[in-house]
Structure formats: structure tokens, C-alpha cells
């Protein structure tokens, strides 16, 4: 989007005057500007307020709403997003976000999962139908500087890309269409079309076309007793007729979250996670929610605030397990005894097709849940990422990526 349109947006919606936009114009143009300028700081504050309002709508949605209330909420969310993303197509699904007004352009049907964060040091363009996993960071942590002034660098993400949980994209990177960035990868270089990127720094691991096939993956192994507990919870919640689809989840088979009953179970799980962390939730209700979300947990189970579980029942927890704040859990996750999971850890085994054409139409997009095992007596350090299909048999340091039995700092 042209800078002049962005400046008109600021004048129309936030009351900026022409004389207040000198440094902001330089920022939008990718020129060196003064970040300490009062009006730049004002824009930062406005942006944070919008993000807080939007994210709080989602975090405080603890109960199923009426159709009218849902419509009101949708309108409020759309208005806030249109203030934040000046150039955008039709919104897809945006769970949570942290961005500066005017720095991010969105195409149509972009999906941003929880805790998407855009650096204030990058100008970002995201094309149609791109997917973000949870806890994705876009943009470098430090700017390009000239004395006290800085300038913003470009990041371009093409159509039908997919950024896995915990991934990070640095400044001056272009991802061509249909690039897949593996969970926990850090991308520092441009990537060609139809490629799979792995590692820190990320490198091209494979070229994705109709002839590409993934290696066979381990299947989850729930006991009959564990399944009985899960299906008993589902029955109590009124999900008697979901057993066939839910069994696919527990078997690591493909399923479709666009099915109303399946999709509503995911939404219910997310509402329960919000309620679990809500200040008004009583200790008795918190215990009840934990037993719903984790039907198979052992004794002395401790859980922090802001935990995100993708769908209830799919995490098996042993004895003496503690989960910190803002931990992300998805997939068929088996956690042993005496395990400590520190704040901000990402254990995310939710998968889509790697081939871009198969992800193109959201209503027919297949999803499946991989298996992740955390063995006894393991500590997962703060902000580390555990890749899908991993068996964690050792401590993982803070901020590290654990994948294929390797630890990458």
C-alpha cells in the first residue's frame, strides 16, 4: 500500500495532523526516522491499545455466546483489525496479534494463530491464504541504525505459505509462494517457491511437489483406559456423536476441523483455556476445567496461566508434572513423570499438508495431530520449541529447538 493511503488512514481514524506525520512518513517509506519522535511514540501506543482490546476479546470469551452476541463480537473484532491492518483482504481467522498500525499488509484469508507478533522494525507484506502456527515472530529484534535514527526493512511472505509453531522470520527475507517453515525454524535468507525450510538458521530441506512424500511417522498409542476417560468427558459435554472423528485425532489420521461438531470442540477447548486463566475463575472451577482439558493426568499436576491447548483430551500427563505460564500444547502429547515445563514452551504437533495446492481451500483442508513424547525426569527450558514427532529424552535448554533427537540452540 502507498504511504499516502496510510497517512490518510492515520488522519481519519486517529486525528493526526499533516505536521505530525513527518517522521511517520519516513518510517512507512523505509527511510531513516527518529523512533523517539512524540508522534511515532503516539502511534506505538495507539497500536498497543488496539492489540490489547482485540486480544482481550478473545481471552475473555469464556462462555458460549448467543448468535446476536457473536455477531456483535465479530463486528468489534473486524473494526479493530481494520484499524490495525490498513491494507487487508477478507480476514481469515486471526486469533491474537501484536503489530504496529500500517506496518503489516495482509492478503485474503490469512490465518494468524495465537500470539502472532510483528516487529516494529519491519515492513511486512503477507499474501493470500498464508497460515501461521502459534507463537510465530516476524521481524528482527534490533533495527538498522544510523546514529539515533533507524529504518525499517522489508519482509515479504507469499501466497499459500505456512509458518509452523514457534518459527521466526528475520528482516530482509522474502518467502516465495507455498513455502513451508518448520516449527521452531529461524529464517534468515530468502526461500524459493514450494520448499520446506528447517533449522536455525533455516535451510531448504526439500522441494515440495506432487511427488514429495513424507517419511512414515510414529502413531500415538493410547491405552483403552485412557480412551475411556476421554470419551466419558466428551459424552458429559454433549459430544456423543463425535467419536468417529475424534478417534481419527487419537490415531494420527487426517480429519477436518471445518466439520461443525469437530470445530466447535476446538472452540470449546479454547474457551475453557481462557476461563482457566480468568481472574474471576474460582479454584473449584479451575480444578473442574483441568479435569476436562486433561482427563488423563496424574497426581500433583500444576498448571500456570495462559496455557493454550488445541483440543481437549489429547495430552496425557504423568505424576508430579508442572506446566508454566503461556505454554502451547497441540497434537498427541505424552508427558511422563517428574517433568517440568517452563514458561513459554511450545509443544505443537498439529499438521497440514505440505503440498501448497492441498492447503489452498480452507473448507477441504486436512489436519492431523502428530505424536510428541516427553520422557520421565525431563525439564523443558523457558521458550524452547519441541518439534512434531519428537521423543524428548533429555533436558532442553531455554530458547532451544529440539527436533529429531537433536538440540539446536
Amino acid at each position: 500500500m502507498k504511504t499516502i493511503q496510510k497517512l490518510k488512514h492515520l488522519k481519519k481514524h486517529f486525528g493526526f495532523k499533516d505536521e505530525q506525520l513527518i517522521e511517520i512518513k519516513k518510517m512507512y517509506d523505509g527511510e531513516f526516522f527518529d523512533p523517539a519522535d512524540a508522534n511515532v511514540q503516539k502511534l506505538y501506543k495507539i497500536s498497543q491499545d488496539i492489540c490489547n482490546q482485540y486480544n482481550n476479546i478473545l481471552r475473555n470469551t469464556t462462555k458460549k455466546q448467543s448468535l446476536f452476541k457473536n455477531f456483535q463480537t465479530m463486528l468489534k473484532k473486524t473494526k479493530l483489525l481494520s484499524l490495525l491492518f490498513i491494507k487487508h483482504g477478507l480476514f481469515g481467522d486471526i486469533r491474537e496479534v501484536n503489530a504496529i498500525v500500517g506496518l503489516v499488509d495482509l492478503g485474503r484469508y490469512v490465518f494468524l494463530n495465537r500470539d502472532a507478533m510483528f516487529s516494529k522494525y519491519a515492513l511486512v507484506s503477507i499474501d493470500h491464504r498464508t497460515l501461521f502456527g502459534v507463537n510465530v515472530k516476524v521481524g528482527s529484534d534490533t533495527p538498522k541504525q544510523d546514529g539515533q535514527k533507524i529504518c525499517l526493512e522489508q519482509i515479504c511472505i507469499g501466497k499459500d505459505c505456512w509458518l509452523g509453531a514457534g518459527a521466526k522470520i528475520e528482516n530482509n527475507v522474502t518467502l516465495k509462494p507455498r513455502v513451508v517453515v518448520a516449527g521452531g525454524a529461524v529464517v534468515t535468507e530468502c526461500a524459493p517457491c514450494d520448499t520446506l525450510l528447517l533449522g536455525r538458521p533455516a535451510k531448504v530441506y526439500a522441494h515440495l511437489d506432487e511427488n514429495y512424500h513424507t517419511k512414515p511417522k510414529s502413531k500415538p498409542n493410547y491405552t483403552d483406559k485412557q480412551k475411556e476417560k476421554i470419551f466419558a468427558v466428551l459424552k458429559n459435554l454433549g459430544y456423543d456423536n463425535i467419536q468417529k472423528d475424534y478417534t481419527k485425532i487419537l490415531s494420527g489420521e487426517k480429519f477436518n476441523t471445518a466439520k461443525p461438531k469437530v470445530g466447535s470442540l476446538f472452540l470449546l477447548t479454547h474457551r475453557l483455556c481462557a476461563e482457566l486463566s480468568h481472574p474471576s475463575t474460582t479454584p473449584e472451577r479451575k480444578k473442574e476445567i483441568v479435569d476436562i482439558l486433561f482427563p488423563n493426568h496424574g497426581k500433583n499436576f500444576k498448571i500456570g496461566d495462559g496455557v493454550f491447548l488445541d483440543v481437549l483430551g489429547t495430552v496425557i500427563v504423568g505424576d508430579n508434572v508442572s506446566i508454566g505460564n503461556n505454554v502451547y500444547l497441540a497434537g498427541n502429547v505424552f508427558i511422563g513423570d517428574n517433568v517440568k515445563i517452563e514458561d513459554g514452551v511450545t509443544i505443537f504437533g498439529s499438521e497440514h499438508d505440505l503440498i501448497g495446492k492441498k492447503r489452498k481451500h480452507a473448507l477441504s483442508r486436512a489436519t492431523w495431530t502428530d505424536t510428541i513424547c516427553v520422557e520421565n525426569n525431563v525439564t523443558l527450558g523457558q521458550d524452547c520449541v519441541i518439534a512434531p514427532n519428537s521423543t524428548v529424552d533429555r533436558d532442553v535448554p531455554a530458547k532451544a529447538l529440539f527436533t529429531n533427537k537433536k538440540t539446536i540452540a
Side-chain angles (χ1 to χ4, degrees), residues 250-292:
L250 298 183
S251 303
E253 299 175 29
K254 291 183 179 180
F255 63 96
N256 194 340
T257 54
K259 285 188 174 182
K261 203 74 172 177
V262 178
S264 70
L265 182 61
F266 278 76
L267 292 176
L268 172 63
T269 303
H270 303 164
R271 282 199 301 271
L272 289 171
C273 289
E275 186 180 356
L276 182 63
S277 300
H278 200 275
S280 66
T281 305
T282 65
E284 294 77 16
R285 176 59 178 163
K286 286 187 176 184
K287 183 181 183 307
E288 183 180 1
I289 293 171
V290 168
D291 291 340
I292 293 171

Side-chain angles (χ1 to χ4, degrees), residues 117-119 121-122 124 137-141 155 168-171:
M117 181 169 289
F118 296 93
S119 170
Y121 303 133
V124 181
K137 310 291 190 250
V138 180
S140 300
D141 298 324
I155 296 174
K168 184 174 183 181
I169 313 298
E170 297 285 6
N171 288 354

Side-chain angles (χ1 to χ4, degrees), residues 39-211:
N39 293 296
V40 173
Q41 290 295 316
K42 178 181 175 181
L43 183 63
Y44 288 167
K45 185 179 186 309
I46 288 171
S47 303
Q48 192 60 61
D49 288 345
I50 293 170
C51 292
N52 288 341
Q53 288 181 60
Y54 185 84
N55 295 339
N56 284 336
I57 290 173
L58 304 177
R59 291 169 183 158
N60 292 329
T61 305
T62 60
K63 297 180 181 178
K64 189 173 182 178
Q65 298 178 327
S66 67
L67 186 62
F68 177 70
K69 186 69 173 177
N70 276 332
F71 181 70
Q72 283 186 315
T73 300
M74 181 190 72
L75 289 178
K76 186 174 182 181
K77 287 167 57 180
T78 300
K79 181 179 179 181
L80 290 168
L81 290 175
S82 293
L83 291 174
L84 190 64
F85 301 111
I86 299 172
K87 181 183 178 183
H88 65 81
L90 292 172
F91 287 113
D93 188 359
I94 298 180
R95 301 281 175 84
E96 285 192 20
V97 70
N98 192 315
I100 303 299
V101 173
L103 299 193
V104 182
D105 294 340
L106 295 183
R108 298 190 301 272
Y109 307 117
V110 170
F111 175 82
L112 303 179
N113 212 324
R114 177 167 163 166
D115 287 335
M117 181 169 289
F118 296 93
S119 170
K120 61 183 179 181
Y121 303 133
L123 292 162
V124 181
S125 173
I126 303 174
D127 216 331
H128 312 318
R129 299 178 301 273
T130 282
L131 309 174
F132 279 42
V134 297
N135 197 30
V136 170
K137 310 291 190 250
V138 180
S140 300
D141 298 324
T142 56
K144 183 178 181 180
Q145 287 188 280
D146 182 7
Q148 297 300 313
K149 294 189 175 184
I150 65 173
C151 75
L152 308 189
E153 299 173 287
Q154 299 281 339
I155 296 174
C156 297
I157 301 174
K159 296 177 183 176
D160 300 303
C161 290
W162 173 29
L163 281 58
K168 184 174 183 181
I169 313 298
E170 297 285 6
N171 288 354
N172 291 320
V173 164
T174 294
L175 303 182
K176 294 293 186 177
R178 300 175 300 280
V179 169
V180 176
V181 179
V186 177
V187 183
T188 59
E189 299 177 350
C190 300
C193 298
D194 299 294
T195 51
L196 171 62
L197 308 181
L198 278 74
R200 294 182 172 183
K203 302 294 182 184
V204 174
Y205 174 79
H207 293 271
L208 303 172
D209 57 29
E210 295 295 340
N211 297 317

